[in-house]
PDB file of all heavy atoms in Angstrom:
ATOM      1  N   ALA A   1      59.898  53.268 -83.165  1.00 96.00           N
ATOM      2  CA  ALA A   1      58.673  53.720 -83.816  1.00 96.00           C
ATOM      3  C   ALA A   1      58.896  54.855 -84.795  1.00 96.00           C
ATOM      4  O   ALA A   1      58.081  55.051 -85.702  1.00 96.00           O
ATOM      5  CB  ALA A   1      57.659  54.150 -82.758  1.00 96.00           C
ATOM      6  N   THR A   2      59.991  55.613 -84.633  1.00 96.00           N
ATOM      7  CA  THR A   2      60.113  56.862 -85.398  1.00 96.00           C
ATOM      8  C   THR A   2      61.376  57.022 -86.236  1.00 96.00           C
ATOM      9  O   THR A   2      61.345  57.713 -87.259  1.00 96.00           O
ATOM     10  CB  THR A   2      60.038  58.068 -84.440  1.00 96.00           C
ATOM     11  OG1 THR A   2      61.102  57.965 -83.468  1.00 96.00           O
ATOM     12  CG2 THR A   2      58.705  58.086 -83.703  1.00 96.00           C
ATOM     13  N   VAL A   3      62.487  56.404 -85.812  1.00 95.00           N
ATOM     14  CA  VAL A   3      63.776  56.701 -86.459  1.00 95.00           C
ATOM     15  C   VAL A   3      63.786  56.352 -87.936  1.00 95.00           C
ATOM     16  O   VAL A   3      64.340  57.090 -88.759  1.00 95.00           O
ATOM     17  CB  VAL A   3      64.924  55.976 -85.718  1.00 95.00           C
ATOM     18  CG1 VAL A   3      66.187  55.924 -86.576  1.00 95.00           C
ATOM     19  CG2 VAL A   3      65.225  56.685 -84.407  1.00 95.00           C
ATOM     20  N   HIS A   4      63.166  55.242 -88.306  1.00 86.00           N
ATOM     21  CA  HIS A   4      63.220  54.781 -89.693  1.00 86.00           C
ATOM     22  C   HIS A   4      61.936  55.104 -90.459  1.00 86.00           C
ATOM     23  O   HIS A   4      61.594  54.438 -91.430  1.00 86.00           O
ATOM     24  CB  HIS A   4      63.504  53.281 -89.732  1.00 86.00           C
ATOM     25  CG  HIS A   4      64.783  52.905 -89.035  1.00 86.00           C
ATOM     26  ND1 HIS A   4      66.011  53.432 -89.402  1.00 86.00           N
ATOM     27  CD2 HIS A   4      65.034  52.081 -87.976  1.00 86.00           C
ATOM     28  CE1 HIS A   4      66.953  52.943 -88.611  1.00 86.00           C
ATOM     29  NE2 HIS A   4      66.390  52.125 -87.741  1.00 86.00           N
ATOM     30  N   GLY A   5      61.229  56.147 -90.036  1.00 84.00           N
ATOM     31  CA  GLY A   5      59.998  56.553 -90.717  1.00 84.00           C
ATOM     32  C   GLY A   5      58.773  55.936 -90.060  1.00 84.00           C
ATOM     33  O   GLY A   5      58.837  55.353 -88.986  1.00 84.00           O
ATOM     34  N   SER A   6      57.647  56.064 -90.723  1.00 81.00           N
ATOM     35  CA  SER A   6      56.392  55.562 -90.180  1.00 81.00           C
ATOM     36  C   SER A   6      56.440  54.043 -90.030  1.00 81.00           C
ATOM     37  O   SER A   6      56.908  53.330 -90.915  1.00 81.00           O
ATOM     38  CB  SER A   6      55.240  55.948 -91.099  1.00 81.00           C
ATOM     39  OG  SER A   6      54.013  55.441 -90.614  1.00 81.00           O
ATOM     40  N   THR A   7      55.982  53.533 -88.890  1.00 86.00           N
ATOM     41  CA  THR A   7      56.015  52.095 -88.617  1.00 86.00           C
ATOM     42  C   THR A   7      54.670  51.643 -88.065  1.00 86.00           C
ATOM     43  O   THR A   7      53.762  52.440 -87.833  1.00 86.00           O
ATOM     44  CB  THR A   7      57.108  51.729 -87.592  1.00 86.00           C
ATOM     45  OG1 THR A   7      56.711  52.194 -86.294  1.00 86.00           O
ATOM     46  CG2 THR A   7      58.443  52.339 -87.972  1.00 86.00           C
ATOM     47  N   TRP A   8      54.576  50.337 -87.809  1.00 93.00           N
ATOM     48  CA  TRP A   8      53.396  49.739 -87.197  1.00 93.00           C
ATOM     49  C   TRP A   8      53.360  49.936 -85.694  1.00 93.00           C
ATOM     50  O   TRP A   8      52.398  49.542 -85.030  1.00 93.00           O
ATOM     51  CB  TRP A   8      53.373  48.232 -87.498  1.00 93.00           C
ATOM     52  CG  TRP A   8      54.695  47.575 -87.225  1.00 93.00           C
ATOM     53  CD1 TRP A   8      55.733  47.416 -88.107  1.00 93.00           C
ATOM     54  CD2 TRP A   8      55.154  47.055 -85.980  1.00 93.00           C
ATOM     55  NE1 TRP A   8      56.792  46.810 -87.478  1.00 93.00           N
ATOM     56  CE2 TRP A   8      56.471  46.573 -86.181  1.00 93.00           C
ATOM     57  CE3 TRP A   8      54.564  46.925 -84.709  1.00 93.00           C
ATOM     58  CZ2 TRP A   8      57.223  45.997 -85.168  1.00 93.00           C
ATOM     59  CZ3 TRP A   8      55.315  46.340 -83.695  1.00 93.00           C
ATOM     60  CH2 TRP A   8      56.629  45.890 -83.933  1.00 93.00           C
ATOM     61  N   ILE A   9      54.407  50.545 -85.133  1.00 96.00           N
ATOM     62  CA  ILE A   9      54.466  50.743 -83.688  1.00 96.00           C
ATOM     63  C   ILE A   9      53.662  51.995 -83.346  1.00 96.00           C
ATOM     64  O   ILE A   9      54.189  53.109 -83.285  1.00 96.00           O
ATOM     65  CB  ILE A   9      55.917  50.846 -83.190  1.00 96.00           C
ATOM     66  CG1 ILE A   9      56.736  49.635 -83.666  1.00 96.00           C
ATOM     67  CG2 ILE A   9      55.951  50.925 -81.658  1.00 96.00           C
ATOM     68  CD1 ILE A   9      58.208  49.717 -83.339  1.00 96.00           C
ATOM     69  N   THR A  10      52.374  51.813 -83.168  1.00 96.00           N
ATOM     70  CA  THR A  10      51.447  52.905 -82.902  1.00 96.00           C
ATOM     71  C   THR A  10      51.520  53.343 -81.439  1.00 96.00           C
ATOM     72  O   THR A  10      52.189  52.714 -80.615  1.00 96.00           O
ATOM     73  CB  THR A  10      50.017  52.468 -83.217  1.00 96.00           C
ATOM     74  OG1 THR A  10      49.667  51.388 -82.340  1.00 96.00           O
ATOM     75  CG2 THR A  10      49.880  51.992 -84.661  1.00 96.00           C
ATOM     76  N   ARG A  11      50.811  54.428 -81.134  1.00 96.00           N
ATOM     77  CA  ARG A  11      50.747  54.894 -79.756  1.00 96.00           C
ATOM     78  C   ARG A  11      50.197  53.807 -78.850  1.00 96.00           C
ATOM     79  O   ARG A  11      50.666  53.603 -77.725  1.00 96.00           O
ATOM     80  CB  ARG A  11      49.850  56.132 -79.704  1.00 96.00           C
ATOM     81  CG  ARG A  11      49.687  56.767 -78.342  1.00 96.00           C
ATOM     82  CD  ARG A  11      50.940  57.465 -77.905  1.00 96.00           C
ATOM     83  NE  ARG A  11      51.619  56.763 -76.826  1.00 96.00           N
ATOM     84  CZ  ARG A  11      52.784  57.106 -76.327  1.00 96.00           C
ATOM     85  NH1 ARG A  11      53.428  58.127 -76.831  1.00 96.00           N
ATOM     86  NH2 ARG A  11      53.332  56.430 -75.346  1.00 96.00           N
ATOM     87  N   ARG A  12      49.169  53.083 -79.324  1.00 96.00           N
ATOM     88  CA  ARG A  12      48.618  51.984 -78.528  1.00 96.00           C
ATOM     89  C   ARG A  12      49.660  50.915 -78.254  1.00 96.00           C
ATOM     90  O   ARG A  12      49.729  50.353 -77.152  1.00 96.00           O
ATOM     91  CB  ARG A  12      47.422  51.357 -79.256  1.00 96.00           C
ATOM     92  CG  ARG A  12      46.136  52.148 -79.195  1.00 96.00           C
ATOM     93  CD  ARG A  12      45.028  51.378 -79.880  1.00 96.00           C
ATOM     94  NE  ARG A  12      45.303  51.173 -81.303  1.00 96.00           N
ATOM     95  CZ  ARG A  12      44.628  50.336 -82.096  1.00 96.00           C
ATOM     96  NH1 ARG A  12      43.655  49.597 -81.596  1.00 96.00           N
ATOM     97  NH2 ARG A  12      44.926  50.223 -83.367  1.00 96.00           N
ATOM     98  N   MET A  13      50.458  50.594 -79.273  1.00 97.00           N
ATOM     99  CA  MET A  13      51.500  49.588 -79.093  1.00 97.00           C
ATOM    100  C   MET A  13      52.530  50.055 -78.056  1.00 97.00           C
ATOM    101  O   MET A  13      52.929  49.296 -77.168  1.00 97.00           O
ATOM    102  CB  MET A  13      52.183  49.301 -80.428  1.00 97.00           C
ATOM    103  CG  MET A  13      51.308  48.598 -81.444  1.00 97.00           C
ATOM    104  SD  MET A  13      51.054  46.846 -81.062  1.00 97.00           S
ATOM    105  CE  MET A  13      52.613  46.164 -81.654  1.00 97.00           C
ATOM    106  N   ILE A  14      52.946  51.295 -78.168  1.00 98.00           N
ATOM    107  CA  ILE A  14      53.925  51.826 -77.223  1.00 98.00           C
ATOM    108  C   ILE A  14      53.391  51.755 -75.803  1.00 98.00           C
ATOM    109  O   ILE A  14      54.069  51.274 -74.883  1.00 98.00           O
ATOM    110  CB  ILE A  14      54.300  53.274 -77.598  1.00 98.00           C
ATOM    111  CG1 ILE A  14      55.102  53.294 -78.907  1.00 98.00           C
ATOM    112  CG2 ILE A  14      55.099  53.934 -76.472  1.00 98.00           C
ATOM    113  CD1 ILE A  14      55.355  54.683 -79.462  1.00 98.00           C
ATOM    114  N   ASP A  15      52.154  52.218 -75.609  1.00 98.00           N
ATOM    115  CA  ASP A  15      51.564  52.196 -74.269  1.00 98.00           C
ATOM    116  C   ASP A  15      51.453  50.762 -73.732  1.00 98.00           C
ATOM    117  O   ASP A  15      51.726  50.502 -72.558  1.00 98.00           O
ATOM    118  CB  ASP A  15      50.175  52.843 -74.294  1.00 98.00           C
ATOM    119  CG  ASP A  15      50.233  54.346 -74.522  1.00 98.00           C
ATOM    120  OD1 ASP A  15      51.318  54.931 -74.369  1.00 98.00           O
ATOM    121  OD2 ASP A  15      49.187  54.933 -74.864  1.00 98.00           O
ATOM    122  N   GLY A  16      51.035  49.828 -74.614  1.00 98.00           N
ATOM    123  CA  GLY A  16      50.880  48.439 -74.186  1.00 98.00           C
ATOM    124  C   GLY A  16      52.189  47.810 -73.759  1.00 98.00           C
ATOM    125  O   GLY A  16      52.256  47.131 -72.716  1.00 98.00           O
ATOM    126  N   TYR A  17      53.262  48.050 -74.521  1.00 98.00           N
ATOM    127  CA  TYR A  17      54.547  47.438 -74.184  1.00 98.00           C
ATOM    128  C   TYR A  17      55.234  48.157 -73.024  1.00 98.00           C
ATOM    129  O   TYR A  17      55.997  47.536 -72.277  1.00 98.00           O
ATOM    130  CB  TYR A  17      55.439  47.356 -75.422  1.00 98.00           C
ATOM    131  CG  TYR A  17      55.001  46.244 -76.345  1.00 98.00           C
ATOM    132  CD1 TYR A  17      54.018  46.450 -77.309  1.00 98.00           C
ATOM    133  CD2 TYR A  17      55.535  44.965 -76.235  1.00 98.00           C
ATOM    134  CE1 TYR A  17      53.581  45.431 -78.138  1.00 98.00           C
ATOM    135  CE2 TYR A  17      55.105  43.930 -77.048  1.00 98.00           C
ATOM    136  CZ  TYR A  17      54.135  44.179 -77.997  1.00 98.00           C
ATOM    137  OH  TYR A  17      53.692  43.144 -78.800  1.00 98.00           O
ATOM    138  N   LEU A  18      54.942  49.446 -72.854  1.00 98.00           N
ATOM    139  CA  LEU A  18      55.451  50.128 -71.660  1.00 98.00           C
ATOM    140  C   LEU A  18      54.829  49.520 -70.406  1.00 98.00           C
ATOM    141  O   LEU A  18      55.517  49.320 -69.394  1.00 98.00           O
ATOM    142  CB  LEU A  18      55.151  51.631 -71.728  1.00 98.00           C
ATOM    143  CG  LEU A  18      56.049  52.451 -72.648  1.00 98.00           C
ATOM    144  CD1 LEU A  18      55.529  53.872 -72.764  1.00 98.00           C
ATOM    145  CD2 LEU A  18      57.487  52.462 -72.141  1.00 98.00           C
ATOM    146  N   ARG A  19      53.537  49.199 -70.454  1.00 98.00           N
ATOM    147  CA  ARG A  19      52.892  48.551 -69.311  1.00 98.00           C
ATOM    148  C   ARG A  19      53.495  47.165 -69.085  1.00 98.00           C
ATOM    149  O   ARG A  19      53.724  46.754 -67.941  1.00 98.00           O
ATOM    150  CB  ARG A  19      51.379  48.451 -69.525  1.00 98.00           C
ATOM    151  CG  ARG A  19      50.650  49.780 -69.455  1.00 98.00           C
ATOM    152  CD  ARG A  19      49.142  49.579 -69.329  1.00 98.00           C
ATOM    153  NE  ARG A  19      48.577  48.908 -70.495  1.00 98.00           N
ATOM    154  CZ  ARG A  19      48.126  49.536 -71.569  1.00 98.00           C
ATOM    155  NH1 ARG A  19      48.192  50.868 -71.650  1.00 98.00           N
ATOM    156  NH2 ARG A  19      47.610  48.855 -72.583  1.00 98.00           N
ATOM    157  N   LEU A  20      53.767  46.449 -70.178  1.00 98.00           N
ATOM    158  CA  LEU A  20      54.359  45.124 -70.035  1.00 98.00           C
ATOM    159  C   LEU A  20      55.774  45.216 -69.465  1.00 98.00           C
ATOM    160  O   LEU A  20      56.196  44.357 -68.682  1.00 98.00           O
ATOM    161  CB  LEU A  20      54.367  44.408 -71.392  1.00 98.00           C
ATOM    162  CG  LEU A  20      54.619  42.897 -71.358  1.00 98.00           C
ATOM    163  CD1 LEU A  20      53.528  42.179 -70.562  1.00 98.00           C
ATOM    164  CD2 LEU A  20      54.674  42.329 -72.780  1.00 98.00           C
ATOM    165  N   HIS A  21      56.501  46.250 -69.845  1.00 98.00           N
ATOM    166  CA  HIS A  21      57.838  46.475 -69.279  1.00 98.00           C
ATOM    167  C   HIS A  21      57.749  46.699 -67.778  1.00 98.00           C
ATOM    168  O   HIS A  21      58.592  46.196 -67.007  1.00 98.00           O
ATOM    169  CB  HIS A  21      58.490  47.678 -69.957  1.00 98.00           C
ATOM    170  CG  HIS A  21      59.807  48.080 -69.361  1.00 98.00           C
ATOM    171  ND1 HIS A  21      60.920  47.261 -69.379  1.00 98.00           N
ATOM    172  CD2 HIS A  21      60.185  49.206 -68.713  1.00 98.00           C
ATOM    173  CE1 HIS A  21      61.930  47.871 -68.779  1.00 98.00           C
ATOM    174  NE2 HIS A  21      61.506  49.049 -68.360  1.00 98.00           N
ATOM    175  N   GLN A  22      56.727  47.423 -67.340  1.00 98.00           N
ATOM    176  CA  GLN A  22      56.555  47.696 -65.914  1.00 98.00           C
ATOM    177  C   GLN A  22      56.287  46.421 -65.123  1.00 98.00           C
ATOM    178  O   GLN A  22      56.593  46.349 -63.933  1.00 98.00           O
ATOM    179  CB  GLN A  22      55.433  48.709 -65.704  1.00 98.00           C
ATOM    180  CG  GLN A  22      55.791  50.105 -66.207  1.00 98.00           C
ATOM    181  CD  GLN A  22      54.592  51.029 -66.300  1.00 98.00           C
ATOM    182  OE1 GLN A  22      53.454  50.658 -65.987  1.00 98.00           O
ATOM    183  NE2 GLN A  22      54.832  52.252 -66.732  1.00 98.00           N
ATOM    184  N   THR A  23      55.733  45.397 -65.793  1.00 97.00           N
ATOM    185  CA  THR A  23      55.499  44.112 -65.112  1.00 97.00           C
ATOM    186  C   THR A  23      56.764  43.254 -65.086  1.00 97.00           C
ATOM    187  O   THR A  23      56.773  42.184 -64.476  1.00 97.00           O
ATOM    188  CB  THR A  23      54.387  43.302 -65.806  1.00 97.00           C
ATOM    189  OG1 THR A  23      54.851  42.797 -67.068  1.00 97.00           O
ATOM    190  CG2 THR A  23      53.136  44.138 -66.004  1.00 97.00           C
ATOM    191  N   GLY A  24      57.813  43.684 -65.808  1.00 97.00           N
ATOM    192  CA  GLY A  24      59.066  42.939 -65.828  1.00 97.00           C
ATOM    193  C   GLY A  24      59.166  41.913 -66.932  1.00 97.00           C
ATOM    194  O   GLY A  24      60.051  41.056 -66.897  1.00 97.00           O
ATOM    195  N   GLN A  25      58.285  42.002 -67.973  1.00 97.00           N
ATOM    196  CA  GLN A  25      58.331  40.992 -69.031  1.00 97.00           C
ATOM    197  C   GLN A  25      58.579  41.557 -70.426  1.00 97.00           C
ATOM    198  O   GLN A  25      58.646  40.784 -71.384  1.00 97.00           O
ATOM    199  CB  GLN A  25      57.055  40.150 -69.002  1.00 97.00           C
ATOM    200  CG  GLN A  25      57.006  39.295 -67.740  1.00 97.00           C
ATOM    201  CD  GLN A  25      55.941  38.233 -67.760  1.00 97.00           C
ATOM    202  OE1 GLN A  25      54.815  38.488 -67.380  1.00 97.00           O
ATOM    203  NE2 GLN A  25      56.306  37.048 -68.205  1.00 97.00           N
ATOM    204  N   ALA A  26      58.749  42.837 -70.547  1.00 98.00           N
ATOM    205  CA  ALA A  26      59.234  43.440 -71.792  1.00 98.00           C
ATOM    206  C   ALA A  26      60.581  44.084 -71.475  1.00 98.00           C
ATOM    207  O   ALA A  26      60.731  44.746 -70.441  1.00 98.00           O
ATOM    208  CB  ALA A  26      58.252  44.464 -72.343  1.00 98.00           C
ATOM    209  N   HIS A  27      61.552  43.877 -72.353  1.00 98.00           N
ATOM    210  CA  HIS A  27      62.930  44.277 -72.062  1.00 98.00           C
ATOM    211  C   HIS A  27      63.576  44.946 -73.264  1.00 98.00           C
ATOM    212  O   HIS A  27      63.134  44.774 -74.405  1.00 98.00           O
ATOM    213  CB  HIS A  27      63.753  43.049 -71.666  1.00 98.00           C
ATOM    214  CG  HIS A  27      63.207  42.347 -70.462  1.00 98.00           C
ATOM    215  ND1 HIS A  27      63.480  42.749 -69.176  1.00 98.00           N
ATOM    216  CD2 HIS A  27      62.388  41.262 -70.360  1.00 98.00           C
ATOM    217  CE1 HIS A  27      62.859  41.945 -68.321  1.00 98.00           C
ATOM    218  NE2 HIS A  27      62.194  41.036 -69.023  1.00 98.00           N
ATOM    219  N   SER A  28      64.646  45.676 -72.976  1.00 98.00           N
ATOM    220  CA  SER A  28      65.361  46.373 -74.044  1.00 98.00           C
ATOM    221  C   SER A  28      66.862  46.224 -73.880  1.00 98.00           C
ATOM    222  O   SER A  28      67.370  46.004 -72.786  1.00 98.00           O
ATOM    223  CB  SER A  28      64.997  47.868 -74.052  1.00 98.00           C
ATOM    224  OG  SER A  28      65.308  48.468 -72.798  1.00 98.00           O
ATOM    225  N   VAL A  29      67.540  46.337 -75.010  1.00 98.00           N
ATOM    226  CA  VAL A  29      69.000  46.444 -75.044  1.00 98.00           C
ATOM    227  C   VAL A  29      69.307  47.808 -75.645  1.00 98.00           C
ATOM    228  O   VAL A  29      68.762  48.164 -76.698  1.00 98.00           O
ATOM    229  CB  VAL A  29      69.640  45.338 -75.898  1.00 98.00           C
ATOM    230  CG1 VAL A  29      71.167  45.469 -75.882  1.00 98.00           C
ATOM    231  CG2 VAL A  29      69.211  43.960 -75.415  1.00 98.00           C
ATOM    232  N   GLU A  30      70.160  48.572 -74.959  1.00 98.00           N
ATOM    233  CA  GLU A  30      70.505  49.916 -75.437  1.00 98.00           C
ATOM    234  C   GLU A  30      71.973  49.978 -75.849  1.00 98.00           C
ATOM    235  O   GLU A  30      72.832  49.446 -75.138  1.00 98.00           O
ATOM    236  CB  GLU A  30      70.255  50.965 -74.341  1.00 98.00           C
ATOM    237  CG  GLU A  30      68.824  51.021 -73.838  1.00 98.00           C
ATOM    238  CD  GLU A  30      68.560  50.060 -72.688  1.00 98.00           C
ATOM    239  OE1 GLU A  30      69.549  49.582 -72.088  1.00 98.00           O
ATOM    240  OE2 GLU A  30      67.372  49.783 -72.382  1.00 98.00           O
ATOM    241  N   VAL A  31      72.253  50.632 -76.955  1.00 98.00           N
ATOM    242  CA  VAL A  31      73.618  50.830 -77.437  1.00 98.00           C
ATOM    243  C   VAL A  31      73.886  52.327 -77.461  1.00 98.00           C
ATOM    244  O   VAL A  31      73.189  53.085 -78.154  1.00 98.00           O
ATOM    245  CB  VAL A  31      73.809  50.220 -78.841  1.00 98.00           C
ATOM    246  CG1 VAL A  31      75.237  50.460 -79.335  1.00 98.00           C
ATOM    247  CG2 VAL A  31      73.502  48.727 -78.811  1.00 98.00           C
ATOM    248  N   TRP A  32      74.884  52.730 -76.701  1.00 98.00           N
ATOM    249  CA  TRP A  32      75.182  54.153 -76.512  1.00 98.00           C
ATOM    250  C   TRP A  32      76.512  54.522 -77.159  1.00 98.00           C
ATOM    251  O   TRP A  32      77.455  53.726 -77.185  1.00 98.00           O
ATOM    252  CB  TRP A  32      75.260  54.484 -75.024  1.00 98.00           C
ATOM    253  CG  TRP A  32      74.083  54.047 -74.223  1.00 98.00           C
ATOM    254  CD1 TRP A  32      73.872  52.806 -73.667  1.00 98.00           C
ATOM    255  CD2 TRP A  32      72.942  54.827 -73.869  1.00 98.00           C
ATOM    256  NE1 TRP A  32      72.680  52.775 -72.985  1.00 98.00           N
ATOM    257  CE2 TRP A  32      72.078  54.001 -73.089  1.00 98.00           C
ATOM    258  CE3 TRP A  32      72.567  56.149 -74.127  1.00 98.00           C
ATOM    259  CZ2 TRP A  32      70.874  54.456 -72.576  1.00 98.00           C
ATOM    260  CZ3 TRP A  32      71.363  56.612 -73.608  1.00 98.00           C
ATOM    261  CH2 TRP A  32      70.535  55.773 -72.850  1.00 98.00           C
ATOM    262  N   HIS A  33      76.598  55.751 -77.626  1.00 98.00           N
ATOM    263  CA  HIS A  33      77.859  56.326 -78.125  1.00 98.00           C
ATOM    264  C   HIS A  33      77.927  57.757 -77.616  1.00 98.00           C
ATOM    265  O   HIS A  33      77.048  58.577 -77.930  1.00 98.00           O
ATOM    266  CB  HIS A  33      77.915  56.304 -79.652  1.00 98.00           C
ATOM    267  CG  HIS A  33      79.151  56.945 -80.211  1.00 98.00           C
ATOM    268  ND1 HIS A  33      80.400  56.354 -80.128  1.00 98.00           N
ATOM    269  CD2 HIS A  33      79.332  58.126 -80.848  1.00 98.00           C
ATOM    270  CE1 HIS A  33      81.291  57.128 -80.698  1.00 98.00           C
ATOM    271  NE2 HIS A  33      80.679  58.225 -81.150  1.00 98.00           N
TER     272      HIS A  33
END
């Protein structure tokens, strides 16, 4: 939502997908260095 400047990923979107993640149906891949 923030790294590449202003995006369509609003606070509402973040909250909605965080809830979906809690149900086990939204997922992420993380790349660490």
Side-chain angles (χ1 to χ4, degrees):
T2 59
V3 163
H4 302 302
S6 178
T7 72
W8 48 270
I9 307 174
T10 63
R11 181 72 251 175
R12 283 183 297 168
M13 292 286 281
I14 291 172
D15 290 344
Y17 284 86
L18 283 172
R19 290 194 297 270
L20 195 61
H21 174 64
Q22 291 167 0
T23 71
Q25 292 192 273
H27 301 277
S28 58
V29 181
E30 301 88 16
V31 179
W32 308 85
H33 177 72

